[in-house]
Amino acid sequence: MKIDGKTKVCGLIGHPVGHTLSPTIHNTLAQSLGQDLIYVPLPVEPGYLEDAVKGGYGLGILGMNVTVPYKSDVIPLLKNVDPAAAMIGAVNTLVRNEEQGGYDGYNTDIIGLQRALQEDGITLQGQNVVLLGAGGAARAAAFLCGQQQAGQVWIVNRTPEKANLLAQEVKKNYPSLAIEALTYARIEDPACSLLPTEGLIVLQCTSVGLYPHCEDTPVSAPSFISRISYAFDLIYRPEETRFLRLVREAGGRTANGLSMLLWQGVAAYEYWNKLQISSGQAKTVMDRLQEEVRD
Ligand code: NAP
């Protein structure tokens, strides 16, 4: 591409940012839309987040994604925060606000997960949903359960206090949602009568099973796996985690997190450029992402 004085710049702030696939998403979109825009990783050392946000504005950066460990810490540095992002307590997309001289914050992880499930024909409305994990990604998933009026939600986490806290927070925002914390021991007990024996939707939001620890899984008990009709694992490296393999082998439908990554990026690109990305354009990006994950 030709870079000149009019080229718009976007980027990703985080620490580390070395293995990110986000440049593939945004640079492919810019290329296929014929836009004069480039997206670059911008590593931010601990202690320099405020400098990075202010400096980014000063340098004319159109928009930034925010990744670990800054998704919550960035909030006080913003001019405005979208209500959904404020509720989740995490921002992953900064959009330039010229009037106020800074950035506004959004959470496109929740949009990405919602869109990925939708593309797979899944809505959480009225469904029995188990969330594995209670970290940053699980927060977006838990609030999506509230937004979509899931039937019953169980949050399962290695540190049970975090699952309890998250369940309480979601309940505060969605008082009619039936949501509670459960332990791994409970869900792996073959006699567990709290969970239905079939038809569960499981959103795997832990980092367990992530490359190179591909043989790890947060849960493997056949009595739990056999209750699952659909499992979405937020991990996309490896393409099929051991958890997804177990669900597939037991006859459940499965999907990995690459489509969530795609759609959160598409939503960010739409915010920055105030346009709509078509399904065909998104498909071009997905093809590129799949090639990179397989490399
Ligand atoms: P995080 O905030 O660090 O949370 C990690 C979660 O994993 C916590 O619930 C943690 O439990 C649990 N965990 C870690 N090691 C464990 C173990 N050995 N046994 C049981 N549980 C364990 O991370 P995050 O930001 O939520 O990300 C979680 C995963 O989602 C990562 O793999 C990330 O790459 C992926 N992700 C994907 C997308 C996407 O677009 N596809 C977007 C965001 C995140 P404790 O609370 O007990 O520590």
Side-chain angles (χ1 to χ4, degrees), residues 133-137 157-159 162 205-208 234-235 257 260-261:
N157 196 46
R158 175 180 60 178
T159 313
K162 279 174 66 183
C205 308
T206 78
S207 45
V208 183
L234 271 66
I235 293 173
M260 174 177 171
L261 182 80

Side-chain angles (χ1 to χ4, degrees), residues 23-238:
T24 301
I25 299 176
H26 298 287
N27 292 322
T28 303
L29 283 172
Q31 217 176 12
S32 58
L33 293 163
Q35 285 190 297
D36 190 8
L37 182 152
I38 186 161
Y39 182 101
V40 285
L42 301 165
V44 175
E45 291 293 323
Y48 287 90
L49 179 63
E50 188 169 358
D51 292 340
V53 173
K54 283 197 177 147
Y57 189 82
L59 290 167
I61 291 182
L62 174 66
M64 293 189 267
N65 284 132
V66 183
T67 189
V68 175
Y70 301 129
K71 287 184 185 185
S72 301
D73 295 351
V74 78
I75 291 178
L77 307 173
L78 303 175
K79 295 296 172 189
N80 304 283
V81 178
D82 174 67
M87 191 166 66
I88 298 166
V91 157
N92 77 326
T93 299
L94 308 189
V95 179
R96 194 174 177 82
N97 177 334
E98 292 286 349
E99 280 97 65
Q100 292 181 264
Y103 290 99
D104 295 338
Y106 296 85
N107 186 305
T108 68
D109 282 335
I110 189 167
I111 301 174
L113 178 57
Q114 180 265 325
R115 186 72 191 265
L117 294 174
Q118 180 189 322
E119 293 289 314
D120 235 4
I122 299 290
T123 168
L124 302 179
Q125 188 172 20
Q127 300 292 327
N128 292 311
V129 184
V130 171
L131 300 186
L132 302 179
R139 293 184 67 82
F143 282 97
L144 182 64
C145 289
Q147 268 184 13
Q148 293 202 334
Q149 300 172 310
Q152 168 81 46
V153 183
W154 297 273
I155 305 180
V156 185
N157 196 46
R158 175 180 60 178
T159 313
E161 299 76 32
K162 279 174 66 183
N164 268 316
L165 274 177
L166 179 55
Q168 282 167 25
E169 261 184 76
V170 177
K171 184 87 182 161
K172 232 183 270 163
N173 286 277
Y174 297 98
S176 63
L177 184 71
I179 182 164
E180 61 179 311
L182 270 187
T183 61
Y184 280 108
R186 235 14 224 291
I187 65 166
E188 294 203 284
D189 176 359
C192 176
S193 57
L194 279 168
L195 299 176
T197 53
E198 57 182 27
L200 269 186
I201 291 179
V202 177
L203 306 177
Q204 198 304 99
C205 308
T206 78
S207 45
V208 183
L210 193 60
Y211 180 86
H213 306 286
C214 306
E215 279 310 305
D216 292 351
T217 174
V219 56
S220 60
S223 59
F224 175 70
I225 300 288
S226 66
R227 299 176 196 244
I228 302 172
S229 62
Y230 177 84
F232 187 94
D233 196 324
L234 271 66
I235 293 173
Y236 47 82
R237 264 192 191 121

Side-chain angles (χ1 to χ4, degrees), residues 275-291:
L275 47 73
Q276 286 282 116
I277 302 295
S278 70
S279 304
Q281 285 154 345
K283 166 91 175 60
T284 306
V285 181
M286 190 58 166
D287 292 344
R288 289 264 176 99
L289 286 174
Q290 273 166 342
E291 279 168 28

